[in-house]
Amino acid sequence: MPTPQKTRPDALTMEVVELIGDVVARFYSDYEDAAAEHALTGAQARLLSLLSLEPLPMRKLAQKLKCEPSNVTGIVDRLEARALVERRPDPADRRVKVAAATEAGLQVARELREGLRFAREPLAGLSQGERESLRDLLRRMRDA
Amino acid sequence: MPTPQKTRPDALTMEVVELIGDVVARFYSDYEDAAAEHALTGAQARLLSLLSLEPLPMRKLAQKLKCEPSNVTGIVDRLEARALVERRPDPADRRVKVAAATEAGLQVARELREGLRFAREPLAGLSQGERESLRDLLRRMRDA
DNA sequence: CATGGTTGTTTAAGGCACTGAAGTAAATGG
DNA sequence: CCATTTACTTCAGTGCCTTAAACAACCATG
């Protein structure tokens, strides 16, 4: 046994993990900034972003956001107070409240997506071919 | 003017941004989980991680964490209450308090780093050569 | 030096995100 | 029907985070 450690990662892997950490930090903080430009918190932006694709019941929102349903209540409350989101009754189940982005909410979500220029900027320096290999590598990481 | 938008990104770029978002979400949540295994919050883990490299004054910590110094006070308070971090006086400037990881804190930081297996797992499926190109691409993104 | 401005840290007040427990209303299955 | 489960909310408590204000120590200028 040359190395007593269980799964001692090689230097290359360690460096890539480090780099991912850096990029993650950058992307995350850029996302928060983009949200802040619309006076949204990160959590509010993520929730609104989800609703810009399709209306969802509170329960589903909690699942997608990986948090407790009681938490979603507050976030939707705050977005609803700003008329970016509304609660609709579910005709099929009167217990359910379906959260949906309003017209204004959709607009903000669009601007938010476009305002993610920070995330795109680092990509600008890559060639078409490099972006393709990056895409392939990321896909495989995601699906791992 | 075929497209009224300012800088309409192509489909490839959009997909890569989407993929980065996915990987970021995964990495972030794995980091929080790893921290939680040591009863640490994400913020506490990040701060402790910084201090595991070198002791830092409160002011520097705030800079690295991109937050207000008054915020750092509370986080260090909680880590100090658990004896993972200690405040030392700076002999050169009596205003300054240098935060430093204790022996126990260094141990936790080490375990935390090793416990980041989640972040490494997706890399396991990549070959040596692929990891190298990923490293190069990430480096260029970081330095962009 | 003395003094006035700057810097490093903390405290206090307040908002948001989050959890867990408890409560209410509606659906569902003997 | 009634007991259980499900969807949502409310409440209490914690942590992160910011701004404003306080304090002590540093520092430059006259």
Side-chain angles (χ1 to χ4, degrees):
Chain A
M1 291 172 196
T3 57
Q5 296 85 351
K6 320 183 184 184
T7 51
R8 184 63 172 180
D10 58 307
L12 174 57
T13 299
M14 286 297 267
E15 188 183 356
V16 174
V17 168
E18 183 97 3
L19 281 165
I20 293 177
D22 291 349
V23 171
V24 164
R26 170 90 191 277
F27 187 97
Y28 214 84
S29 110
D30 286 356
Y31 190 86
E32 300 276 324
D33 289 350
E37 280 180 20
H38 296 279
L40 293 174
T41 65
Q44 288 166 10
R46 280 186 286 278
L47 194 153
L48 182 57
S49 212
L50 278 179
L51 291 187
S52 74
L53 302 177
E54 55 173 349
L56 288 171
M58 307 295 280
R59 192 188 98 261
K60 284 266 183 194
L61 273 174
Q63 282 172 355
K64 298 231 179 200
L65 295 173
K66 291 186 211 291
C67 69
E68 300 303 316
S70 62
N71 186 22
V72 176
T73 298
I75 303 175
V76 169
D77 278 351
R78 285 180 276 275
L79 288 172
E80 196 169 29
R82 290 174 52 188
L84 299 176
V85 157
E86 62 184 9
R87 285 174 165 95
R88 299 178 187 156
D90 180 345
D93 187 337
R94 283 183 301 165
R95 291 170 304 180
V96 172
K97 288 177 187 160
V98 179
T102 62
E103 210 42 62
L106 289 175
Q107 179 59 30
V108 170
R110 256 192 304 273
E111 290 168 13
L112 196 73
R113 217 175 0 253
E114 315 251 329
L116 226 50
R117 62 178 179 286
F118 306 105
R120 286 201 303 271
E121 262 166 17
L123 267 51
L126 304 187
S127 73
Q128 169 96 8
E130 286 169 331
R131 263 176 281 195
E132 279 167 6
S133 24
L134 181 56
R135 178 199 59 195
D136 295 342
L137 290 170
L138 289 175
R139 268 191 196 151
R140 289 179 50 196
M141 286 183 64
R142 181 198 54 187
D143 303 333
Chain B
M1 291 172 196
T3 56
Q5 297 85 351
K6 321 182 181 184
T7 51
R8 185 63 171 180
D10 60 304
L12 175 57
T13 299
M14 286 295 269
E15 187 183 356
V16 174
V17 168
E18 182 96 5
L19 280 165
I20 293 176
D22 291 349
V23 171
V24 164
R26 169 88 193 277
F27 187 97
Y28 215 84
S29 111
D30 285 355
Y31 190 85
E32 300 277 324
D33 289 351
E37 282 180 19
H38 296 280
L40 293 175
T41 66
Q44 288 166 9
R46 280 186 286 279
L47 195 152
L48 183 57
S49 214
L50 279 179
L51 292 187
S52 74
L53 302 177
E54 55 174 348
L56 288 170
M58 306 296 280
R59 190 188 101 264
K60 283 266 183 196
L61 273 174
Q63 282 171 356
K64 299 231 179 202
L65 295 174
K66 291 187 210 292
C67 69
E68 301 303 317
S70 62
N71 186 22
V72 176
T73 298
I75 303 175
V76 169
D77 278 352
R78 285 179 276 273
L79 288 172
E80 196 169 29
R82 289 174 53 188
L84 299 176
V85 157
E86 62 184 8
R87 284 172 165 94
R88 300 177 187 155
D90 180 346
D93 186 339
R94 281 183 303 164
R95 292 170 303 179
V96 173
K97 288 177 185 161
V98 179
T102 62
E103 209 44 60
L106 288 175
Q107 180 58 31
V108 170
R110 255 192 305 274
E111 289 169 11
L112 196 73
R113 213 173 6 252
E114 315 252 330
L116 226 50
R117 62 178 180 284
F118 307 105
R120 286 201 303 271
E121 263 167 18
L123 266 54
L126 304 186
S127 71
Q128 168 97 6
E130 287 169 331
R131 262 176 282 196
E132 279 168 5
S133 25
L134 181 57
R135 179 198 59 196
D136 295 343
L137 291 170
L138 289 175
R139 267 191 195 152
R140 289 177 51 194
M141 287 183 62
R142 181 197 55 186
D143 303 334

